[in-house]
Amino acid sequence: MADHYEVLGVDRDATPGEIKRAFRRLARATHPDANPDDPRAEARFRQVAEAYEVLSDPEKRARYDRGDDLDLSGLFHGAGSFDDLLRSVFGDGGLFGAGMFGGGVRDPANGRGHDIRVQLSVDLKEAAFGAERNVRFRAAVACGTCSGSGARSGSGTRACNICAGTGQVRMARRSAFGSLMTVTTCSACRGAGSVIADPCADCRGEGVTEGEKRVTVEIPAGVTADSRLRKIGDGEAGRRGSPSGDLYIELAVQPHPTFTRHGDDLMYELPIGMAAAALGTEADVPLLEGGSERVKVPAGTQHGQVIRVRNRGSGRLRRRGRGDLLVMVGIDIPTRLSRAERKILRRYAEARGENVL
């Protein structure tokens, strides 16, 4: 026989509260109704129930710890004994009822609209400094005829005859463990507890129809290609006045022909000649927001060297300030030289002691 403590996954000095929490978790996971295709589920559930029956009772637990034999045959066959066990843990709703989900009241968010996900392409400037964009998409919208109520003008709702206005249907069934009570959402009213007396002809009582939505999106400065924005309540409209879903905007940042982004910094490649690199120079570097910045290139600058221009990069997401502009110097080596240029370079090579062709 398996060790009851190991079955519940608790220590031998576990408190009654720890034992009860372990049973609640395992009972839901191992119940045959939760594992309809597993022929071994019933045996596992029985084992979990037996372990809890012993360890939850101080007297039985003490006898078990001493090594005494315990007769548990009445647990699944006695009149109401197993039902009493479940009610003591899960409440009157039983394993799949109110005790399991905590409350026994129908979910007020039933009929909530679906969340919508859209992709929005932005350019680097919009991502770096923020922008306002409009997105359009097809989704369920509130019916214009009944203003989303689902009812024809002048009519209302009545209590559902199937669930008597509770939004739930309780069913008792016999099993190897005795009588089990299951609670499910009423299929007639979908958990609302009420039905439309005279449904709107345009939306057939749903309160929503298919349409197009247009939403203005504020893109904050500093977003990246993996950023996702959320607009609460701008997704699909809910049924019959229920809350709307949310809108999720996944951003795609398009590459820029001049700048590349590295975190909050922007990089620009500045080509200069060999003489300018050796002797030093100044150059006007373009800025992403427009205009330019005068940059000094020190004498002796090497190919690939980076000059940092403070506070000229991208905006920072949810922070103040900006990143930097990284000017990477690229030394332009000429591939075709005039006769005069060759002559000058040869004299330079001789002065440097360089061997050239």
Side-chain angles (χ1 to χ4, degrees):
M1 177 180 295
D3 183 277
H4 291 327
Y5 291 99
E6 292 183 358
V7 169
L8 294 183
V10 297
D11 296 331
R12 302 194 76 83
D13 59 351
T15 64
E18 291 172 336
I19 291 172
K20 187 173 184 178
R21 286 192 295 271
F23 174 67
R24 288 173 64 90
R25 174 176 54 82
L26 291 171
R28 296 166 182 160
T30 61
H31 193 277
D33 284 355
N35 303 272
D37 300 324
D38 187 351
R40 295 174 296 179
E42 185 171 320
R44 285 199 302 270
F45 183 68
R46 179 188 292 268
Q47 194 177 52
V48 169
E50 289 178 348
Y52 179 72
E53 170 71 7
V54 171
L55 300 184
S56 63
D57 186 299
E59 181 182 351
K60 291 179 181 178
R61 182 177 180 180
R63 291 176 57 196
Y64 176 75
D65 289 342
R66 291 196 302 266
D68 296 347
D69 292 331
L70 300 175
D71 182 13
L72 301 177
S73 59
L75 176 61
F76 298 102
H77 302 292
S81 58
F82 186 65
D83 286 344
D84 291 340
L85 172 67
L86 291 181
R87 274 194 293 271
S88 70
V89 179
F90 294 100
D92 291 337
L95 181 63
F96 295 112
M100 178 176 178
F101 295 106
V105 181
R106 66 181 169 84
D107 184 0
N110 183 32
R112 176 184 182 274
H114 290 111
D115 293 338
I116 298 293
R117 184 181 65 180
V118 298
Q119 288 189 333
L120 178 62
S121 178
V122 298
D123 60 36
L124 183 58
K125 184 176 179 180
E126 292 173 320
F129 305 123
E132 183 179 284
R133 293 281 300 274
N134 292 322
V135 294
R136 302 169 69 177
F137 53 92
R138 302 288 298 179
V141 297
C143 176
T145 303
C146 64
S147 300
S149 69
R152 192 186 297 272
S153 178
S155 66
T157 62
R158 58 175 174 80
C160 176
N161 294 329
I162 304 300
C163 65
T166 65
Q168 296 177 331
V169 176
R170 296 172 178 260
M171 294 182 293
R173 68 177 183 83
R174 302 292 300 175
S175 73
F177 311 112
S179 177
L180 294 180
M181 180 71 70
T182 60
V183 180
T184 59
T185 300
C186 177
S187 60
C189 66
R190 302 185 189 179
S194 61
V195 294
I196 300 294
D198 187 9
C200 169
D202 289 343
C203 66
R204 299 181 181 180
E206 293 296 307
V208 294
T209 57
E210 185 179 358
E212 183 178 82
K213 294 195 70 172
R214 179 174 177 174
V215 178
T216 301
V217 178
E218 292 286 345
I219 302 171
V223 295
T224 60
D226 58 354
S227 295
R228 187 171 73 162
L229 309 178
R230 178 188 182 191
K231 296 212 63 173
I232 298 176
D234 280 325
E236 274 197 343
R239 294 178 57 250
R240 291 164 49 184
S242 294
S244 297
D246 297 336
L247 174 65
Y248 291 90
I249 304 99
E250 296 181 348
L251 299 178
V253 181
Q254 298 303 308
H256 195 277
T258 304
F259 298 93
T260 56
R261 185 173 175 181
H262 300 268
D264 294 331
D265 296 331
L266 297 174
M267 180 168 283
Y268 171 76
E269 294 186 12
L270 174 65
I272 63 174
M274 295 186 300
L279 301 175
T281 187
E282 290 185 351
D284 289 325
V285 174
L287 301 175
L288 180 60
E289 66 267 33
S292 63
E293 180 88 2
R294 192 73 170 174
V295 174
K296 182 177 180 179
V297 181
T301 295
Q302 302 298 304
H303 180 78
Q305 188 170 328
V306 173
I307 301 170
R308 184 179 294 269
V309 183
R310 300 290 181 183
N311 202 38
R312 288 299 194 178
S314 168
R316 294 189 171 103
L317 184 62
R318 292 185 292 272
R319 291 184 296 161
R320 291 183 178 181
R322 293 171 56 175
D324 299 333
L325 176 61
L326 307 178
V327 181
M328 187 173 69
V329 177
I331 299 178
D332 185 15
I333 307 297
T335 57
R336 300 182 65 179
L337 298 171
S338 67
R339 181 176 297 179
E341 290 171 335
R342 285 180 178 275
K343 189 175 181 178
I344 293 171
L345 282 177
R346 287 187 184 279
R347 288 203 302 266
Y348 169 80
E350 290 174 1
R352 297 279 296 177
E354 295 180 9
N355 183 25
V356 296
L357 295 177

